[in-house]
Amino acid sequence: MSQPILRTDDLTIKFGGITAVDRVSIHIKQGQIFGLIGPNGAGKTTMFNLLTGIYKPTAGKIYFKGKDITSLKTHEIVSLGISRTFQNIRLLKGHTVFQNVLLATHHKLRYSFVDALFMLMKFRQSEQQAEKLVNDLMSKYNLSGLRDEIASDLPQGLQRKVEIVRALATGAELIFLDEPAAGLNPAETAELMQLIRQLRDEGNTIFLIEHDMKLVKGICDEIAVLHFGQLLDQGTYEKVTGNQQVVQAYLGRRYKNAQS
Ligand SMILES: Nc1ncnc2c1ncn2[C@@H]1O[C@H](COP(=O)(O)OP(=O)(O)OP(=O)(O)O)[C@@H](O)[C@H]1O
């Protein structure tokens, strides 16, 4: 088996008396769409917050391409090639689609404050490169026609897409999506599934949290199930949904809905 792009070893975080993530060891292969499921409060978003450096674990390790990233800061993790979207869409209000995506490139720009102050050549070149990258991404993902629209005025499905393209603009190859289908109608969800498959086919790795089991069944290569912070199972949809513990803890009605 190829080396996992992301691996956690006994990852744990405690908040006072609550162990929100409890000795979780998962591995995600390069080029997979990997789903994280589980009941409300199971620790899914906390996992993302640990993996992106927002929280520091109480114990355990995180490896990205074999490198220990456990104690890195968020901006260091982003610069290695990991980016995310949030449960509630976080676009800059009052700013255009172009401006929102451009913002994500700023950690890559190579100029100092003094360069910027005097509009030196280096500064102008970096800005031009960033603008080209954003224009190319918008064209690739069919957002060019919306370039100058106010992003937060767009329908939910398009706002999600802008957020995902913004995550790509950081140069990420591993993208975390926290409940990407939340608030989307069925047509928007179908488009989202297509986009996520496209990202995978282009060589990216996707790690997503989702309650929509039709989406999970439709696109995930592998799934991990969390329950009270603990990993109940990891494997294919068929394997995980055949696990009685998983069915009792979480799936029940959701599983039946995904079959229909
Ligand atoms: N900063 C924090 N301080 C204290 N407790 C926290 C903190 N962050 C998360 N928790 C607790 O950790 C547990 C897991 O929460 P988390 O938001 O990760 O669950 P989740 O699986 O993402 O749920 P949902 O599906 O509802 O989004 C909850 O009991 C939550 O209250």
Side-chain angles (χ1 to χ4, degrees), residues 54-225:
I54 293 173
Y55 294 156
K56 287 297 158 220
T58 312
K61 293 279 183 196
I62 305 164
Y63 298 93
F64 175 61
K65 294 181 169 176
K67 178 184 162 70
D68 184 351
I69 62 164
T70 316
S71 51
L72 296 190
K73 296 192 171 70
T74 300
H75 72 271
E76 294 169 322
I77 293 171
V78 171
S79 66
L80 286 177
I82 299 178
S83 189
R84 75 177 285 183
T85 66
F86 293 86
Q87 227 170 76
N88 302 313
I89 292 174
R90 293 191 188 179
L91 292 170
L92 282 182
K93 291 220 181 325
H95 288 75
T96 65
V97 170
F98 179 80
Q99 288 166 334
N100 267 279
V101 181
L102 185 67
L103 179 79
T105 64
H106 277 169
H107 77 283
K108 294 201 289 196
L109 299 186
R110 296 275 172 264
Y111 56 79
S112 69
F113 174 70
V114 177
D115 288 343
L117 206 59
F118 292 103
M119 284 294 282
L120 295 181
M121 187 70 103
K122 208 161 135 198
F123 167 75
R124 280 200 296 269
Q125 273 175 355
S126 291
E127 284 290 327
Q128 280 165 2
Q129 278 168 7
E131 287 178 15
K132 180 174 183 326
L133 172 83
V134 173
N135 283 326
D136 289 350
L137 278 173
M138 294 210 310
S139 155
K140 185 171 177 186
Y141 297 104
N142 296 324
L143 285 176
S144 300
L146 301 171
R147 188 185 186 282
D148 299 320
E149 299 287 324
I150 298 297
S152 51
D153 289 349
L154 296 174
Q156 287 279 305
L158 286 170
Q159 290 194 40
R160 279 277 173 221
K161 189 170 180 180
V162 173
E163 263 204 319
I164 293 171
V165 172
R166 186 172 66 180
L168 286 171
T170 64
E173 55 181 305
L174 172 59
I175 301 155
F176 299 149
L177 306 174
D178 194 346
E179 293 192 36
L184 304 196
N185 64 36
E188 289 172 330
T189 303
E191 274 192 41
L192 172 74
M193 287 166 72
Q194 281 241 317
L195 173 63
I196 295 173
R197 280 197 201 100
Q198 180 184 350
L199 297 179
R200 187 256 323 266
D201 294 345
E202 288 166 359
N204 298 291
T205 307
I206 311 294
F207 185 14
L208 59 90
I209 295 174
E210 201 35 82
H211 286 290
D212 180 336
M213 288 306 289
K214 275 192 182 162
L215 180 144
V216 170
K217 184 181 183 207
I219 63 172
C220 289
D221 300 304
E222 258 195 279
I223 302 166
V225 189

Side-chain angles (χ1 to χ4, degrees), residues 36 43-50 84 87 178-179 209:
L36 184 61
K44 305 179 298 295
T45 298
T46 305
M47 268 295 279
F48 272 21
N49 287 337
L50 284 166
R84 75 177 285 183
Q87 227 170 76
D178 194 346
E179 293 192 36
I209 295 174

